[in-house]
Amino acid sequence: MELHGYFRSSASYRVRIGLNLKGLQYDYHPVNLLKGEQREGEYRKLNPQGLVPALVDGDTILTQSLAILEWLDEQHPEPALLPKDPLARARVRAMAYSVACDIQPVQNLRVLKYLQSEYGISDEEKVDWIRHWIHEGFSALEQQLNPAPFAAGDEPGLFECCLIPQIYSAERFGMDIAEYPAIHRIMLACNEIPAFVDARPENQPDSTL
């Protein structure tokens, strides 16, 4: 398998965690978002949206991080990223989607660039924007997480694949995760798991950290 992504991209980070949790080997191909490589012709053949990541497995090309993670779970069922019980699966999906579909997209690089170029927001206003939407999302998640170590019980899965990259972004913009006790608890647990450590942005070949 080949993973085309960017070290700091939340969506790429999610897929790295999922691949690591599954114990799957892959070749990493950096796509530099700051240089606009995601919009170049060769990469656009993999992902016409011009977004990362893209996962290539033989003749199969997959895009969109959650679609990739669920495909991985179906192709490589163990260890599972989603619980077997249908209601538990729906609840985990709902929390994962709240990160991947509600919190993260409004702080995507292309959204922030548009806000600055079209509406002239300052760097300080940009940071306030990011913190606002993370706080809104994290505050809601706090009310949905149970006391178990992870969202689905004793093992991390789809939700944690989404949450940990979002925590990285929150800390990058000066937020204190300790203000969200349930999220903080999950973060500390994930920090002890090699699959999460190896997926960190600073541990990627294209990292500039």
Side-chain angles (χ1 to χ4, degrees):
M1 281 189 284
E2 300 175 0
L3 177 64
H4 298 253
Y6 182 60
F7 78 103
R8 199 172 252 163
S9 155
S10 292
S12 300
Y13 193 170
R14 292 171 201 149
V15 175
R16 293 197 302 266
I17 294 171
L19 287 164
N20 291 349
L21 286 172
K22 295 286 186 183
L24 297 171
Q25 299 297 312
Y26 62 94
D27 293 325
Y28 182 67
H29 296 269
V31 180
N32 192 317
L33 302 186
L34 299 183
K35 293 181 178 179
E37 292 177 357
Q38 73 277 18
R39 296 187 294 272
E40 294 178 357
E42 285 305 308
Y43 182 73
R44 286 271 191 170
K45 293 176 184 177
L46 296 179
N47 189 345
Q49 281 188 292
L51 301 173
V52 292
L55 184 74
V56 180
D57 186 12
D59 295 329
T60 299
I61 301 171
L62 296 169
T63 61
Q64 289 294 338
S65 60
L66 289 182
I68 292 171
L69 289 169
E70 294 219 30
W71 180 83
L72 288 172
D73 215 30
E74 292 165 357
Q75 295 297 310
H76 308 275
E78 297 298 332
L81 297 179
L82 284 162
K84 295 192 181 339
D85 176 72
L87 180 57
R89 289 169 75 89
R91 286 174 172 162
V92 168
R93 281 190 173 112
M95 289 188 287
Y97 294 174
S98 73
V99 176
C101 302
D102 294 332
I103 302 173
Q104 191 272 328
V106 293
Q107 56 180 292
N108 191 284
L109 179 63
R110 62 179 181 166
V111 172
L112 298 176
K113 282 187 172 182
Y114 186 82
L115 287 172
Q116 291 188 298
S117 65
E118 297 298 319
Y119 297 99
I121 69 168
S122 65
D123 287 341
E124 183 178 347
E125 288 170 326
K126 180 185 76 173
V127 171
D128 286 343
W129 167 277
I130 291 169
R131 289 174 177 169
H132 170 79
W133 292 115
I134 295 176
H135 174 71
E136 288 282 306
F138 278 10
S139 296
L141 286 171
E142 279 291 304
Q143 301 175 50
Q144 301 173 66
L145 291 167
N146 58 43
F150 303 103
D154 294 331
E155 300 295 333
L158 185 71
F159 174 68
E160 287 74 25
C161 288
C162 295
L163 179 65
I164 295 304
Q166 189 58 64
I167 290 173
Y168 169 80
S169 179
E171 291 185 323
R172 183 181 166 208
F173 290 101
M175 297 182 69
D176 183 4
I177 304 305
E179 293 181 7
Y180 312 95
I183 289 172
H184 188 246
R185 183 193 70 239
I186 292 174
M187 180 190 77
L188 294 177
C190 290
N191 285 347
E192 300 299 317
I193 300 173
F196 288 86
V197 175
D198 293 344
R200 287 176 182 165
E202 64 267 26
N203 293 330
Q204 305 317 303
D206 56 333
S207 173
T208 57
L209 300 175

